[in-house]
């Protein structure tokens, strides 16, 4: 396809990669993509009409493709998800988050392929949580360094899932995935960079604080993470593909295309337990 190119979207987050066929990457090309992901946190590829198997195979080069926890509880083993928005099934990811932080070892990255794209709307945005961390004062970073946060699925998630699960299945989900605690600052296991570990609605409370204290601090940090100077926005075309590092980013799938039809295909890759090591 020609020479591999990497064009940054801005000086903080995101890059568009060209000159590669993700269905037939050489080892050298994959190494360059892998390094670019560490450098830019989210990568975008145009014109990648991958099949389901090719999508899974590309994701598997980074690690073990994940089974979604709800599917796992129900005995499923599907590692690839289709996310479809229609007039009767509205979009429900229009809020800043990192995927599945309510398990002990959240995903390390995600690979998203655009299958059906509406005529207008339906962009996705990403925010750099390393940039958000670095923009804080040294005093605030010191305060956050010793804090942990209780993560849980939350009421909204359980209400959506509860439309498809009976009471016994919900009980099994609760039993398999109780609340977990993660550090508020996270050290990237490969780069050593420090990021705010924000997860939107999955963050229930800061451990050891009163509800008022926790709400105030988490509210400030979540608003801080929404600064447009930390962000990149991608306008999808069919057969686009994005891959991002879940450990150092938040993302948000805008719902401004509703009620138009939109179909995305996603694979996440298993990660490690979040940790923080002071510099």
């Amino acid at each position: 396809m020609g020479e591999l190119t990497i064009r940054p979207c801005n000086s903080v987050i995101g890059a568009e990669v060209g000159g590669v066929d993700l269905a037939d990457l050489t080892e050298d090309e994959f190494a360059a993509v892998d390094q670019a992901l560490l450098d830019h946190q989210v990568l975008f590829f145009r014109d990648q009409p991958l099949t389901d198997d090719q999508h899974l195979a590309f994701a598997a080069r980074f690690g073990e493709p994940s089974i979604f926890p709800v599917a796992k509880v129900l005995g499923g083993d599907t590692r690839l998800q289709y996310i479809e928005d229609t007039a009767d099934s509205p979009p429900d990811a229009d809020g800043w988050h990192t995927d599945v932080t309510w398990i002990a070892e959240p995903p390390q990255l995600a690979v998203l392929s655009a299958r059906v794209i509406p005529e207008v709307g339906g962009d996705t945005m990403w925010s750099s949580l390393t940039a958000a961390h670095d923009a804080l004062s040294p005093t605030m970073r010191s305060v956050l360094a010793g804090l942990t946060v209780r993560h849980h699925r939350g009421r909204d998630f359980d209400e959506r899932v509860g439309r498809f699960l009976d009471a016994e299945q919900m009980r099994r989900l609760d039993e398999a995935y109780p609340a977990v605690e993660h550090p508020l600052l996270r050290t990237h296991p490969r780069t050593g960079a420090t990021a705010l570990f924000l997860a939107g609605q999955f963050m229930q409370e800061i451990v050891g604080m009163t509800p008022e204290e926790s709400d105030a601090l988490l509210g400030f940090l979540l608003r801080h993470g929404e600064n447009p100077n930390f962000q990149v926005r991608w306008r999808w075309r069919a057969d686009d593909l994005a891959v991002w590092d879940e450990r150092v980013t938040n993302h948000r799938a805008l719902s401004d295309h509703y009620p138009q039809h939109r179909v995305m295909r996603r694979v996440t890759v298993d990660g490690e337990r979040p940790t923080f090591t002071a510099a």
Side-chain angles (χ1 to χ4, degrees):
M1 292 188 67
E3 185 178 354
L4 184 147
T5 60
I6 300 170
R7 183 174 64 85
C9 298
N10 58 49
S11 63
V12 176
I13 181 174
E16 184 173 349
V17 181
V20 293
D21 177 359
L22 296 181
D24 189 29
L25 277 182
T26 67
E27 290 299 322
D28 286 346
E29 287 173 333
F30 176 75
V33 167
D34 184 50
Q35 183 59 52
L37 183 60
L38 295 176
D39 294 339
H40 300 284
Q41 303 184 347
V42 55
L43 302 178
F44 306 106
F45 304 82
R46 297 284 193 191
D47 303 318
Q48 302 290 332
L50 304 185
T51 66
D52 287 2
D53 287 345
Q54 289 169 337
H55 187 156
L56 272 169
F58 172 62
R61 298 186 76 163
F62 295 95
E64 183 68 23
S66 308
I67 302 173
F68 190 61
V70 177
K72 188 179 294 186
V73 165
L74 300 179
D77 60 0
T78 301
R79 300 173 188 270
L80 184 146
Q81 295 175 289
Y82 275 84
I83 305 166
E84 184 169 15
D85 301 331
T86 66
D88 297 323
S89 179
D92 60 9
D94 193 356
W96 290 104
H97 65 287
T98 299
D99 291 321
V100 202
T101 63
W102 41 270
I103 64 176
E105 298 179 339
Q108 62 162 300
L109 61 84
V111 183
L112 189 66
S113 173
R115 310 316 310 140
V116 177
I117 295 302
E119 184 175 344
V120 294
D123 295 359
T124 302
M125 302 171 66
W126 285 263
S127 177
S128 170
L129 299 182
T130 53
H133 167 267
D134 293 348
L136 294 170
S137 69
T139 300
M140 178 59 81
R141 290 182 223 163
S142 296
V143 170
L144 302 181
L147 299 179
T148 58
V149 177
R150 179 178 180 269
H151 290 240
H152 191 261
R153 300 180 310 276
R155 180 181 302 172
D156 289 347
F157 182 92
D158 279 357
E159 285 180 352
R160 292 197 300 271
V161 171
R163 301 171 196 161
F164 311 101
L165 304 185
D166 60 31
E168 171 58 20
Q169 290 169 329
M170 288 299 296
R171 185 197 66 76
R172 287 161 51 195
L173 183 64
D174 272 334
E175 186 176 85
Y177 298 104
V180 295
E181 294 180 9
H182 295 311
L184 189 48
L185 299 185
R186 181 175 188 175
T187 302
H188 195 287
R190 294 181 64 189
T191 68
T194 301
L196 278 174
F197 191 41
L198 302 179
Q201 66 176 348
F202 301 141
M203 304 173 78
Q204 301 295 300
E205 61 184 358
I206 297 175
V207 176
M209 286 190 172
T210 67
E212 293 80 10
E213 291 168 342
S214 176
D215 289 348
L217 185 51
L218 287 180
F220 162 74
L221 293 173
L222 291 168
R223 290 190 300 273
H224 174 71
E226 294 175 4
N227 187 324
N229 291 293
F230 309 149
Q231 297 175 14
V232 65
R233 179 169 177 160
W234 188 251
R235 172 60 180 148
W236 295 98
R237 298 197 308 236
D239 291 332
D240 283 358
L241 184 140
V243 54
W244 67 93
D245 193 326
E246 297 265 19
R247 298 166 290 199
V248 290
T249 62
N250 272 183
H251 59 282
R252 175 177 184 170
L254 301 181
S255 58
D256 56 354
H257 58 290
Y258 180 77
Q260 298 173 87
H261 192 206
R262 182 179 187 266
V263 181
M264 311 296 283
R265 186 179 61 201
R266 181 181 66 183
V267 178
T268 59
V269 175
D270 287 350
E272 62 286 312
R273 183 146 199 151
T275 59
F276 171 67
T277 304

